[in-house]
Amino acid sequence: MNKMNRFISILGVIFLFASCNEQAYFEIPLDENGNVLLTGVSSTEVSGISTLDDEFTVIATFATAKSGDVMMVELLQLQEPPNGGTAKQMLPMAGTQRDVTVGSDLKASVTYSRAEAKLNSPGDIVRVIYNGATDFANAEVKMEAATASSKPMVSGIEIDVARTSETAFFNVTVEPKAGSYSGNLVAQRKNGGDGSWVDVTGSPFTGAQPFLVPISGDDFAVGKDTMEYRFISTSGQYTDEINTSIIVRDPYFFLKKQASLILGGASAGIDLLINKAVAEDDPSAMVAISGSLMLKGGSAWLANGNVIEFVVGTKLLYDKNNSTNIIAAFEAGTATTTADPIAGEGYYIYKAVTGTNVEDTYYGMMKMTNVVPNSSVSFEYRVGDQYAHLSVIE
């Protein structure tokens, strides 16, 4: 036998040996037409459960099961091992086993009550397991709080509550998983650790959501800077309560921005409210430069009856950002209609008046950051000392 024939004979033996030792797990599943059969992965839909719901439902859609197949379903939850041990494990919950049948749509559904699942508080978790001879599926179910609240808000903007008479609002929503909420919301507050719970003005709240729960700096007693709030919703036998703490602060300017004015052209002025560069003669130029680098009101803006004045400030006032103290310093100072960017420490308090209403008066402060002779002035500024300003300041 030559070498080539010997090689072919060896290959034949190898192939024969391989064919006699085929393993099932190497086989590729084929359909009736001999094509490779690709199967999907089972999926689940969870209705969810909140602190105001009585039950939850899990629907499984199977990939390989057939209509009429029976699945055993049970709940698993973190538990201490029955044989001892310190680490909790996901173990079956007694009394939760049941059989369900796969429908013609290859779906099966199961519903458990919160009592069966031992779901009592937000964050509690169970796992739902579908297990059968032909397929498998699982889903995690976590209890969620039905009630939620924003921080105090004004004009859609979250704020730190200032010790003023103005009012901000918590936006509180109540959303059970089972459907829309038709009950009311009880809101209470307590000022300081030794305070007593009292109803917030307007409580209980009803109607359209979000429920707008007011909060004002005037609600805080002198020397007590922390207020506890609790929001309570009820549905049938279930009650949901969430709590939050608010610390009031001294009045302050809400926003800090940057501006650069270039002598002549389209950016010689600035609209302080929206931080927009405009020409000196633009009707919105609250501050502008023209002919020199002295800051003043824009010509068209002043011609419309508006006024802006400046008083020399200090770095300490600017850094502390206490609007009450800054406004007091303005009223005690000598106001001028212009501000020299290279004079003194380079800090100015300004007062701009655009109308006769209280909210038409805008106080603020400027800190000069760069001056290019005969060319430009750059400064940082604070603006917005009233909640009402937040609806117009950008």
Side-chain angles (χ1 to χ4, degrees):
M1 182 181 290
N2 60 32
K3 291 183 178 180
M4 178 60 71
N5 290 334
R6 185 182 300 114
F7 177 72
I8 294 172
S9 297
I10 292 171
L11 284 178
V13 171
I14 292 174
F15 288 138
L16 178 62
F17 178 81
S19 65
C20 293
N21 290 275
E22 289 181 351
Q23 300 296 319
Y25 50 78
F26 287 131
E27 295 178 357
I28 299 175
L30 305 176
D31 63 17
E32 64 273 12
N33 298 316
N35 298 315
V36 174
L37 180 63
L38 300 177
T39 60
V41 178
S42 298
S43 61
T44 55
E45 301 173 47
V46 182
S47 66
I49 185 169
S50 78
T51 44
L52 294 181
D53 293 307
D54 184 61
E55 61 185 21
F56 64 88
T57 297
V58 176
I59 301 173
T61 300
F62 296 103
T64 59
K66 298 179 177 61
S67 176
D69 287 351
V70 176
M71 297 285 169
M72 192 274 281
V73 187
E74 63 182 342
L75 299 182
L76 275 62
Q77 197 170 53
L78 278 175
Q79 305 171 55
E80 294 181 359
N83 297 326
T86 57
K88 290 185 176 182
Q89 302 176 16
M90 271 288 184
L91 299 173
M93 300 174 64
T96 64
Q97 293 76 26
R98 59 185 66 170
D99 291 336
V100 297
T101 302
V102 179
S104 59
D105 56 359
L106 301 185
K107 296 179 184 290
S109 175
V110 67
T111 298
Y112 287 98
S113 70
R114 62 191 290 170
E116 289 176 304
K118 296 183 179 178
L119 295 175
N120 301 307
S121 304
D124 287 352
I125 294 173
V126 294
R127 184 162 288 279
V128 182
I129 304 295
Y130 283 83
N131 197 8
T134 56
D135 215 331
F136 173 87
N138 74 97
E140 181 180 276
V141 180
K142 178 188 290 187
M143 175 167 275
E144 301 175 7
T147 310
S149 173
S150 70
K151 289 181 59 179
M153 301 180 72
V154 175
S155 299
I157 300 172
E158 292 186 347
I159 63 161
D160 292 333
V161 175
R163 199 178 277 278
T164 72
S165 60
E166 293 183 285
T167 300
F169 296 90
F170 295 98
N171 285 228
V172 184
T173 56
V174 184
E175 298 179 342
K177 299 293 184 180
S180 59
Y181 182 67
S182 59
N184 58 34
L185 177 80
V186 174
Q188 297 180 321
R189 67 171 188 251
K190 180 175 70 171
N191 197 189
D194 58 348
S196 300
W197 288 106
V198 298
D199 286 345
V200 175
T201 301
S203 181
F205 296 88
T206 59
Q209 295 191 47
F211 300 116
L212 300 180
V213 180
I215 177 172
S216 170
D218 280 354
D219 297 335
F220 294 76
V222 175
K224 293 185 177 181
D225 294 339
T226 302
M227 186 84 76
E228 304 289 335
Y229 278 82
R230 63 185 183 190
F231 306 120
I232 304 167
S233 53
T234 304
S235 180
Q237 61 180 311
Y238 302 116
T239 297
D240 187 32
E241 177 180 323
I242 61 171
N243 297 266
T244 188
S245 296
I246 300 297
I247 299 176
V248 72
R249 60 177 293 181
D250 290 332
Y252 63 102
F253 292 106
F254 307 126
L255 302 173
K256 182 169 67 175
K257 303 186 178 187
Q258 307 282 342
S260 292
L261 306 182
I262 300 175
L263 198 60
S267 57
I270 183 77
D271 183 338
L272 296 176
L273 302 184
I274 61 174
N275 193 228
K276 179 182 178 182
V278 294
E280 185 279 335
D281 59 354
D282 189 282
S284 65
M286 298 176 70
V287 175
I289 52 176
S290 177
S292 72
L293 298 184
M294 297 290 286
L295 302 179
K296 58 184 179 181
S299 56
W301 186 79
L302 292 173
N304 286 333
N306 303 309
V307 176
I308 188 166
E309 296 178 305
F310 305 89
V311 167
V312 173
T314 65
K315 181 179 185 301
L316 181 63
L317 276 173
Y318 188 86
D319 290 345
K320 286 193 171 183
N321 191 26
N322 183 308
S323 59
T324 298
N325 293 342
I326 291 171
I327 293 171
F330 180 93
E331 300 301 337
T334 301
T336 60
T337 56
T338 60
D340 187 346
I342 61 173
E345 297 182 49
Y347 290 86
Y348 287 94
I349 308 167
Y350 65 86
K351 177 183 180 181
V353 181
T354 62
T356 58
N357 298 321
V358 173
E359 62 269 22
D360 295 331
T361 296
Y362 300 87
Y363 287 92
M365 270 201 83
M366 297 178 174
K367 177 178 78 171
M368 303 301 149
T369 56
N370 189 51
V371 177
V372 178
N374 301 314
S375 178
S376 64
V377 178
S378 297
F379 57 88
E380 183 180 271
Y381 69 98
R382 299 188 186 278
V383 63
D385 61 293
Q386 302 174 40
Y387 291 168
H389 292 164
L390 291 172
S391 63
V392 295
I393 294 176
E394 300 177 6

